[in-house]
Amino acid sequence: MFQLLSFLDRSNIANARVAGLQEDLMLSDHQYTVALTVTYVSVIMAEIPANLLLRAVGPRFMLPAILTLWGVAATFQGFVKRYGDLLACRFFLGLFEGGSVASVILYLSLWYPRHKLQWRITVTGVIASLAGAFSGLLAYGIIRMDGLGQRPGWSWIFILEGVFSILFGFSAFFILPHSPAHAPFLNDPEKHYVISRLRESGAISRNDQVDAFNWGEVGKAFTLPHAWMLYSISFFAGAITYGLAYFTPSIVAGLGYTRAQAQLFSVPPTVAGFFVSMVTAHLSDRFGARGLNIVFSSTLMTIGLVMFLVSKSLHVKYGSLFLIVPGSASAAPAFLAWNANNVAPYPRRATATAVASLMTNSAGILATWLLGSLSPPPLYREANITMLTFSVFTLIIAGINIVYLSSQNKRKSAIRATMAHENEPLGLGDRSAWFIYSL
């Protein structure tokens, strides 16, 4: 629900735009793009501090608090009268929501062994994808409230969806557990079992002191070659993900559909993304194939983007979304899980997860300008070429990372053959010979 509401409240401006927001506020395409950019800027500002604060404040309090606050900011968008009002709301929405994605991933990594993490991240991710479909369906119904309370239909999109976030955030204070050790629904033997499994998989350290906050570990997150490859993938794939999140209704509308039809026809590609993501996540967890998942997903995106670029048929262009959207939706959980799987201990992982999310949101800024102002509809030619290039880069870097991590695992295997585990220094984290990288 956190991911669904995060995605819904951040991206429903796309539905509001199609419903008349831009015309009513007399926004130029440039101003609309600036409004989206402001959100990303404040999200990026909050990304790393939010992840580092999660352990100190505690997930039970921090996650519900930020959800409630961003719900307030989202609701206020329904009352804006001027461009400046919209900018202020978008800034605070991003500030309160910043770090929510990375914090949820980090929170999940404290509950599940490494080889079971992607399925859980995918569930949260596809729920966010379904938010895109749900948003379109909601918008289709909500815009029929146009004129109610002397407010346009687009304002009710923000108000109703924002109020729901506030209510759910408040309720989460009472139901979200802090950690497995403090879960009220687990008895003592179950807590011991869960914590033991987490330690065996390397999800948490065997020594709690190693997982304590340490600025040195924060710095080490910037020295890992495999992490930097995933930071790059986060940027390239993130540009495509956020471009689709904000502009799918506009892309569909540009294919000749009415505003109401565009809301509805943006739903089927998103639903396809749900099913593809669930299947690839299951296979990735079962066979430990994070990298191959990304290779497959980026191949789907590449084929779809080529179709959209070269075809003259509007039906083929719409059909290409059934490859681009599922490819993007299934890539995101894979690179997020791959990053969280292969970085330890906790402070290093918290930083790496935040940096990956920061890169994704930075790419969101590029995507909003590409599709919002720099690449005119309905063809979006410049944006399409850029995203196609990014998709190919994602595929290549994923392949390089698979080769690199395989070589590191072989090197660690050789070390294990000549050294006892107890003779290895403590605190090596993912650099330990007994920490096997996920491929």
Side-chain angles (χ1 to χ4, degrees):
M1 286 300 294
F2 275 85
Q3 296 292 72
L4 185 149
L5 295 174
S6 170
F7 196 89
L8 192 66
D9 287 334
R10 200 193 301 190
S11 64
N12 60 8
I13 191 172
N15 302 106
R17 182 194 193 191
V18 173
L21 165 72
Q22 189 167 356
E23 291 86 349
D24 288 355
L25 297 186
M26 294 183 289
L27 304 180
S28 66
D29 288 344
H30 177 83
Q31 289 175 317
Y32 176 77
T33 305
V34 170
L36 298 184
T37 303
V38 165
T39 311
Y40 285 113
V41 171
S42 54
V43 164
I44 291 168
M45 289 169 55
E47 203 82 62
I48 294 178
N51 246 28
L52 296 179
L53 281 172
L54 184 68
R55 192 178 184 92
V57 176
R60 181 182 177 185
F61 300 105
M62 183 168 172
L63 292 177
I66 62 176
L67 172 53
T68 303
L69 290 171
W70 93 53
V72 172
T75 303
F76 280 162
Q77 290 177 106
F79 299 93
V80 298
K81 300 291 186 182
R82 295 176 297 277
Y83 174 54
D85 299 339
L86 181 64
L87 289 182
C89 288
R90 297 301 294 182
F91 177 83
F92 284 105
L93 175 66
L95 190 66
F96 295 136
E97 195 180 327
S100 62
V101 173
S103 295
V104 168
I105 293 168
L106 188 60
Y107 180 63
L108 290 174
S109 74
L110 301 176
W111 281 84
Y112 297 101
R114 292 164 61 214
H115 66 282
K116 294 185 177 181
L117 185 60
Q118 186 175 335
W119 174 258
R120 275 73 190 183
I121 292 177
T122 299
V123 170
T124 63
V126 297
I127 286 175
S129 295
L130 285 178
F134 190 49
S135 180
L137 292 172
L138 273 179
Y140 182 74
I142 292 174
I143 58 176
R144 280 156 174 72
M145 296 174 65
D146 186 55
L148 182 64
Q150 297 183 333
R151 296 197 174 279
W154 60 261
S155 70
W156 287 108
I157 294 175
F158 292 128
I159 294 170
L160 294 181
E161 295 177 7
V163 167
F164 184 82
S165 294
I166 295 171
L167 296 175
F168 188 83
F170 183 74
S171 67
F173 279 107
F174 305 98
I175 59 178
L176 189 71
H178 179 75
S179 68
H182 300 88
F185 50 82
L186 297 177
N187 58 37
D188 288 339
E190 289 171 337
K191 291 176 183 177
H192 177 74
Y193 172 77
V194 171
I195 293 171
S196 297
R197 290 291 306 277
L198 291 170
R199 285 177 172 158
E200 287 171 9
S201 76
I204 60 175
S205 298
R206 295 178 182 274
N207 185 332
D208 290 339
Q209 192 60 37
V210 173
D211 277 339
F213 179 78
N214 183 318
W215 280 111
E217 291 296 343
V218 172
K220 287 177 182 177
F222 296 94
T223 66
L224 306 172
H226 61 279
W228 274 107
M229 282 187 266
L230 284 165
Y231 299 158
S232 300
I233 289 175
S234 298
F235 181 86
F236 294 134
I240 301 172
T241 299
Y242 277 121
L244 294 171
Y246 281 115
F247 291 95
T248 294
S250 297
I251 292 170
V252 174
L255 298 178
Y257 296 100
T258 66
R259 287 180 177 181
Q261 288 174 329
Q263 306 284 11
L264 285 179
F265 280 96
S266 64
V267 173
T270 305
V271 174
F274 166 81
F275 287 108
V276 172
S277 296
M278 297 300 284
V279 171
T280 54
H282 172 73
L283 294 175
S284 180
D285 271 354
R286 182 174 181 180
F287 298 105
R290 310 287 190 235
L292 290 177
N293 185 160
I294 296 174
V295 169
F296 170 76
S297 299
S298 55
T299 300
L300 286 183
M301 289 190 288
T302 300
I303 295 171
L305 288 163
V306 168
M307 288 171 58
F308 194 96
L309 181 65
V310 303
S311 177
K312 303 296 183 182
S313 168
L314 297 181
H315 296 296
V316 172
K317 287 182 181 294
Y318 178 69
S320 71
L321 296 176
F322 285 84
L323 293 176
I324 304 171
V325 175
S328 174
S330 58
F335 68 70
L336 292 171
W338 209 9
N339 188 44
N341 278 170
N342 287 337
V343 181
Y346 178 87
R348 199 184 302 175
R349 185 190 313 129
T351 307
T353 304
V355 172
S357 186
L358 183 152
M359 294 294 284
T360 301
N361 284 298
S362 298
I365 296 177
L366 174 62
T368 57
W369 283 95
L370 273 175
L371 288 155
S373 298
L374 302 178
S375 185
L379 298 179
Y380 297 101
R381 182 175 177 80
E382 292 80 4
N384 195 299
I385 293 172
T386 302
M387 291 193 293
L388 175 59
T389 304
F390 285 178
S391 181
V392 173
F393 283 168
T394 298
L395 193 157
I396 293 171
I397 295 171
I400 293 173
N401 203 29
I402 292 171
V403 173
Y404 172 75
L405 294 175
S406 296
S407 68
Q408 291 299 303
N409 282 343
K410 290 178 182 178
R411 182 184 64 82
K412 291 182 177 188
S413 179
I415 294 174
R416 291 195 302 273
T418 59
M419 179 191 294
H421 194 180
E422 56 268 21
N423 293 333
E424 184 181 65
L426 290 174
L428 292 180
D430 56 82
R431 290 172 172 167
S432 166
W434 276 262
F435 188 101
I436 310 302
Y437 289 122
S438 297
L439 301 180

